[in-house]
Amino acid sequence: MIQNPCILTDVTKCIGCEQCVAACKKINGLPAEDAPPRPGNSVDGLSADRWTTIIRRPDNHFVRKQCRHCAEPACVSVCPVGALQKTPEGPVIYDKSICMGCRYCMMSCPYGIPHYEWNSAAPSVRKCIMCYGNLKSGKISEPACVTACPQKATLFGTRDAMLAEARERLQAEPGKYVQTIWGEHEVGGTSVLLIADIPLEFLALNQGHPLGDKPLPERTWAALKPVPFEFVGMGLLMGGVYWIIERRKKLALEAGGAAAKDTRGEAGHEK
Ligand code: SF4
Ligand code: SF4
Ligand code: SF4
């Protein structure tokens, strides 16, 4: 699997056929047709059963939406138990067996990506995982949604290669494209990039305003503190959650320190 994988979507090429959506459902074993509307379904069409969607905008613009696989994901930073993880290669994945259902990830994501299985007896948070397991095992060489696109509106490669491709397209046709690569710097950079001939600020949950370039994790905890308990849906005290997060960080730091110590020890032994 390549390091720092990235998906580039060129909105000007998308025809809205939704073959990417169908391919995503197929490879991830999601229902072919969405269940009837239920609490948690969003206006953009994303749901626990639909990890990528096509937003229909005026004048035949079709805008693909999926997890952006942020370089510094807010969802990972707020998860008290580490169920959401940033993998060493880059994609942000989810471990159902650890999730305790607090849904902080849903509240923290600047793009409104994670969705909850509201009508499941054993609910999970669901979202695009950039086909991580299948890419890692070598079963596929690019995400299913990319392979399925008949227009090559979405491409796959390293983030550097996708940025270079995006820049080339913007330079080649400056009158056609808005001169922005969405995701290049936004919230510290993302591994799903978009270029388009229309503004794409509406993809963020920031009332149409740009999100800015600073990573969100540092700011997210402060924003989550005032969220009412009834929305969280459990009587978990904030202080307790904060304690767990801090403890998780401390343990990770200690583990990192111990690993470094071991490595130094081994190096010394080899000499
Ligand atoms: S887009 Fe949202 S769900 Fe995806 S990695 Fe970023 S914060 Fe997490
Ligand atoms: S990368 Fe994989 S999981 Fe994500 S939208 Fe595409 S097919 Fe679905
Ligand atoms: S498969 Fe390609 S052209 Fe069709 S909706 Fe998805 S991104 Fe657009």
Side-chain angles (χ1 to χ4, degrees), residues 40-270:
N41 269 26
S42 50
V43 287
D44 58 23
L46 283 179
S47 73
D49 296 335
R50 190 178 173 101
W51 298 357
T52 183
T53 194
I54 300 295
I55 300 173
R56 283 153 208 278
R57 302 291 285 184
D59 300 324
N60 284 333
H61 285 98
F62 306 100
V63 182
R64 187 157 170 231
K65 186 167 181 178
Q66 65 186 107
C67 172
R68 302 285 278 270
H69 297 278
C70 307
E72 297 190 45
C75 59
V76 172
S77 76
V78 298
C79 181
V81 291
L84 281 146
Q85 297 154 18
K86 177 88 178 156
T87 61
E89 295 88 351
V92 176
I93 60 170
Y94 167 78
D95 185 343
K96 179 179 179 167
S97 68
I98 305 174
C99 177
M100 66 175 188
C102 70
R103 284 161 274 160
Y104 273 20
C105 54
M106 292 168 60
M107 288 181 270
S108 71
C109 174
Y111 302 103
I113 298 296
H115 281 72
Y116 200 60
E117 293 176 308
W118 294 97
N119 60 352
S120 165
S124 300
V125 170
R126 312 298 300 271
K127 71 167 198 74
C128 159
I129 50 170
M130 209 188 260
C131 290
Y132 181 72
N134 287 316
L135 286 172
K136 180 107 177 152
S137 68
K139 190 175 166 195
I140 55 176
S141 58
E142 61 180 11
C145 55
V146 173
T147 307
C149 181
Q151 299 297 112
K152 300 220 175 302
T154 60
L155 304 173
F156 180 71
T158 65
R159 190 168 188 271
D160 284 348
M162 293 300 97
L163 276 172
E165 177 69 31
R167 283 192 198 108
E168 206 175 299
R169 292 187 186 198
L170 264 50
Q171 279 165 17
E173 294 182 88
K176 175 178 169 184
Y177 290 98
V178 177
Q179 292 297 303
T180 300
I181 303 171
W182 278 273
E184 182 175 13
H185 304 297
E186 210 169 79
V187 297
T190 69
S191 288
V192 168
L193 306 170
L194 293 107
I195 53 175
D197 54 350
I198 54 169
L200 299 181
E201 274 81 14
F202 68 87
L203 288 174
L205 300 182
N206 207 23
Q207 296 170 342
H209 300 297
L211 285 168
D213 296 345
K214 285 197 179 134
L216 289 183
E218 295 305 318
R219 289 190 266 153
T220 311
W221 178 251
L224 279 176
K225 267 184 178 169
V227 173
F229 283 135
E230 57 269 28
F231 188 70
V232 176
M234 58 194 304
L236 192 64
L237 290 173
M238 286 291 180
V241 177
Y242 182 72
W243 179 85
I244 294 170
I245 292 173
E246 289 304 303
R247 179 161 168 73
R248 192 162 61 88
K249 281 186 194 162
K250 189 165 171 273
L251 288 173
L253 275 174
E254 283 172 0
K261 215 169 163 183
D262 285 345
T263 311
R264 284 198 298 274
E266 280 169 24
H269 184 68
E270 278 168 18

